[in-house]
Amino acid sequence: MSVAVTTFWWVRHAPVKAMMPGRIYGQRDLGCNLKDVDRLKALADQLPTEAVWVTSTLSRTKKTAKAIAEQQKTPIKTLAYKELMEQNFGLWQSKTWDDLEEEGEAEAFWVDPANLTPPDGESFALMCKRVQKCVTHLHKKYAGQHIICVAHAGTIRAALAQALDLSPEQALRFKIDTLSLSRIQHFVQDGRADSWAIDGINF
């Protein structure tokens, strides 16, 4: 009986430069701080040397992937997917949550953070759908391979929701640190429904 095991190595990008607590970055294309060489080296040591490398289309994921690969001394070619971008917070991007509190916009959001859509943006629930569609594409196209995905906290939460069959509301409970690693496996076995396994989250 044949089994195809596809392993997703999810890495959250390096911290945004001059990161401010409470600032909403979303899909803004900002630079990242790659000075933590020890952490980059630790990630490189854990990742497979033969893998498909995937990022979002935002530069902080591409730069993080390149920095990790340099520590691994492995030449890579990354595949960038817009579907793996962070949640689009629309007109809220660049503001802080304190700004929204003062404007009265955050109250409704905190009542239902998974389903409320920021002005000109998207809800986390909608984001989960686009991310999960992309993950399905990846495990079908690269079945049986290692896929290193350098992405965003929201993206990784969406991938975990897919693997664990969680609602968007439940997925928001995961804390995903910058330069952390989460490993998920997808299984295809003859005569059985597809299945998932979680090897580790945020380590």
Side-chain angles (χ1 to χ4, degrees):
M1 184 177 292
S2 64
V3 182
V5 183
T6 308
T7 304
F8 287 85
W9 304 75
W10 288 97
V11 177
R12 186 183 174 192
H13 60 79
V16 170
K17 283 185 177 179
M19 180 178 280
M20 292 178 58
R23 181 74 65 185
I24 304 169
Y25 297 109
Q27 293 187 356
R28 287 191 61 202
D29 198 7
L30 302 170
C32 58
N33 184 339
L34 296 167
K35 294 181 179 179
D36 191 349
V37 177
D38 289 342
R39 181 57 190 153
L40 293 169
K41 176 74 165 56
L43 281 168
D45 289 344
Q46 294 178 80
L47 295 173
T49 55
E50 294 187 14
V52 178
W53 284 75
V54 172
T55 68
S56 80
T57 50
L58 297 179
S59 62
R60 56 188 181 270
T61 63
K62 296 177 183 180
K63 291 177 179 177
T64 300
K66 181 180 178 182
I68 294 170
E70 286 174 351
Q71 291 297 321
Q72 201 180 51
K73 296 181 173 55
T74 303
I76 63 168
K77 180 179 180 181
T78 59
L79 304 172
Y81 287 84
K82 64 181 186 300
E83 294 85 357
L84 298 180
M85 285 200 294
E86 182 59 277
Q87 181 179 350
N88 180 4
F89 283 91
L91 297 180
W92 291 0
Q93 290 176 170
S94 297
K95 294 185 177 182
T96 67
W97 292 110
D98 287 342
D99 293 334
L100 298 183
E101 291 285 356
E102 292 173 4
E103 298 170 14
E105 295 179 302
E107 184 174 351
F109 177 81
W110 292 120
V111 172
D112 189 6
N115 295 294
L116 186 135
T117 302
D120 292 343
E122 67 178 337
S123 67
F124 179 68
L126 286 175
M127 178 196 172
C128 284
K129 289 182 179 180
R130 66 166 162 83
V131 169
Q132 291 166 8
K133 183 178 180 180
C134 186
V135 169
T136 298
H137 161 78
L138 290 170
H139 74 61
K140 287 182 176 180
K141 185 172 183 178
Y142 302 107
Q145 299 185 51
H146 291 283
I147 306 174
I148 299 171
C149 302
V150 183
H152 310 269
T155 313
I156 297 169
R157 292 185 185 105
L160 289 167
Q162 183 175 14
L164 293 169
D165 196 21
L166 300 177
S167 68
E169 292 85 354
Q170 292 169 319
L172 284 173
R173 298 173 186 170
F174 288 111
K175 181 178 183 292
I176 306 296
D177 296 325
T178 52
L179 294 179
S180 66
L181 177 61
S182 298
R183 190 168 61 236
I184 305 174
Q185 291 184 311
H186 178 264
F187 300 86
V188 177
Q189 189 170 352
D190 292 342
R192 296 188 180 183
D194 291 9
S195 60
W196 295 88
I198 309 295
D199 286 338
I201 299 174
N202 201 49
F203 62 92

